[in-house]
Amino acid sequence: MPAQRLLAKLTRPRLHGAVPRERLFARLDEARGQRPAICVVGPPGAGKTTLVASWLDARGARGVWYQVDPGDADLATFFHYLGQAAMPFARRGQAPMPALTPEYLEDVEGFSRRFFRELFARLPEDAVVVLDNYQEVGSGQPFHGLIAQAVDEVPPGMALVAVSRRDPPDMYARLIANEHVALVDWDQLKLTLDEAVAIAAARLDLPVPEIERLHATCGGWAAGLTLLIEGRRRNSAMSADLPE
C-alpha cells in the first residue's frame, strides 16, 4: 500500500540554502533537554520557522509539523488534523487517533489529555511536535488552554514547540513560572553580524563593511536583510546589463 500523503498543513517546510544558526541550535538543544515545551516568539520575518525547521533537519529529528490556522479554534477540527499528522507513526493494525465526537464534549480537557498521551506514545522517543503560526488562533480560545495542559503530557526526550508572532497567552504563566517552557524571543532571534555575513555570502559577493552596513540597517531582522541583499543583487544585475 502506498504511503499516506500528508496535507501541506501537516508538512515540514522544505528549506533551500538555509544558513545554519548554530548558536540558536545550541539554545534549542539545551531547551529540549531541560524543558518539555519551547516557545519561539518574534515578529514576522524574524526567521522563526526557518530556524526551527533547519534545526530539526540538522538534528535528524522526526515528529509532527502542524500549521495552525484560524479553523483550529474549532477543537474537533484541530484534533482531526492532528490525528492525521500522527498517521505515519501508526503501527500495523493500530486504530486511528480518537476523534472529538459529541459524547466527549462534556469533558474536552479529559479527552485532550488522553489524546496527547496517545499521540506521544506513538511518536519516536526523541520526537518534536511543532505548532507553527500559533498566533492564528485567538488568545481567548480554549485551544490554548488545551495546548498548555498538553505540556504536562510531554515525555522526557520529546518536546512541544510553539512558533508564534505573539507572546504565550496568560494560561502559560504557570508553566513559565515552573520552568516548563523555554523561550526563544526576538532579542535572541536577531541576526548577529556573523550570521548576516554567512547569509549574504550565500546570495551575493559583498565586502564585509557593506554587510555591516546592511546588518545595522535591518536591525538584525532576517527578512529585512534578505530584502536589502536582493535589492543589491538586482541593482548589480542591472548595472552589468548597461552598455559601456
Side-chain angles (χ1 to χ4, degrees), residues 68-147:
V68 178
D69 62 50
D72 291 308
D74 179 86
L75 297 176
T77 297
F78 169 66
F79 285 114
H80 167 74
Y81 284 116
L82 191 55
Q84 285 199 355
M87 289 176 64
F89 303 99
R91 296 181 291 276
R92 184 182 299 274
Q94 192 170 26
M97 293 289 293
L100 181 58
T101 47
E103 64 266 29
Y104 297 118
L105 294 181
E106 292 186 2
D107 185 16
V108 176
E109 290 187 0
F111 171 87
S112 180
R113 280 193 296 270
R114 293 189 297 272
F115 184 98
F116 278 102
R117 286 170 189 163
E118 176 66 20
L119 173 65
F120 291 123
R122 295 186 181 208
L123 297 178
E125 61 183 10
D126 58 349
V128 177
V129 175
V130 179
L131 301 176
D132 196 8
N133 291 319
Y134 188 77
Q135 76 286 338
E136 290 299 311
V137 173
S139 59
Q141 294 292 332
F143 168 89
H144 297 291
L146 297 182
I147 300 303

Side-chain angles (χ1 to χ4, degrees), residues 7-229:
L7 301 171
K9 177 180 177 67
L10 309 177
T11 304
R12 186 189 301 179
R14 295 181 179 178
L15 303 179
H16 303 283
V19 172
R21 302 183 68 183
E22 296 295 345
R23 68 178 178 90
L24 291 178
F25 287 3
R27 168 64 178 145
L28 291 169
D29 288 339
E30 178 186 24
R32 182 184 182 188
Q34 297 178 351
R35 309 280 191 272
I38 306 169
C39 287
V40 181
V41 181
K48 304 180 295 296
T49 295
T50 298
L51 167 66
V52 175
S54 60
W55 169 60
L56 296 178
D57 287 348
R59 300 300 183 256
R62 299 179 66 200
V64 169
W65 189 285
Y66 191 99
Q67 295 278 357
V68 178
D69 62 50
D72 291 308
D74 179 86
L75 297 176
T77 297
F78 169 66
F79 285 114
H80 167 74
Y81 284 116
L82 191 55
Q84 285 199 355
M87 289 176 64
F89 303 99
R91 296 181 291 276
R92 184 182 299 274
Q94 192 170 26
M97 293 289 293
L100 181 58
T101 47
E103 64 266 29
Y104 297 118
L105 294 181
E106 292 186 2
D107 185 16
V108 176
E109 290 187 0
F111 171 87
S112 180
R113 280 193 296 270
R114 293 189 297 272
F115 184 98
F116 278 102
R117 286 170 189 163
E118 176 66 20
L119 173 65
F120 291 123
R122 295 186 181 208
L123 297 178
E125 61 183 10
D126 58 349
V128 177
V129 175
V130 179
L131 301 176
D132 196 8
N133 291 319
Y134 188 77
Q135 76 286 338
E136 290 299 311
V137 173
S139 59
Q141 294 292 332
F143 168 89
H144 297 291
L146 297 182
I147 300 303
Q149 174 187 276
V151 172
D152 292 329
E153 306 299 335
V154 179
M158 296 190 189
L160 178 63
V161 179
V163 181
S164 181
R165 296 178 182 178
R166 295 197 300 261
D167 288 337
D170 292 343
M171 63 277 297
Y172 281 78
R174 174 187 64 84
L175 295 169
I176 294 171
N178 291 338
E179 299 186 341
H180 289 170
V181 177
L183 291 175
V184 178
D185 61 15
W186 171 228
D187 285 340
Q188 298 171 69
L189 288 168
K190 290 178 184 177
L191 296 172
T192 65
L193 178 57
D194 286 344
E195 289 168 342
V197 169
I199 291 171
R203 291 167 170 78
L204 187 66
D205 185 17
L206 290 174
V208 171
E210 177 64 9
I211 300 173
E212 291 177 344
R213 186 185 71 80
L214 296 180
H215 177 253
T217 300
C218 74
W221 182 40
L225 179 67
T226 300
L227 290 171
L228 290 171
I229 293 171

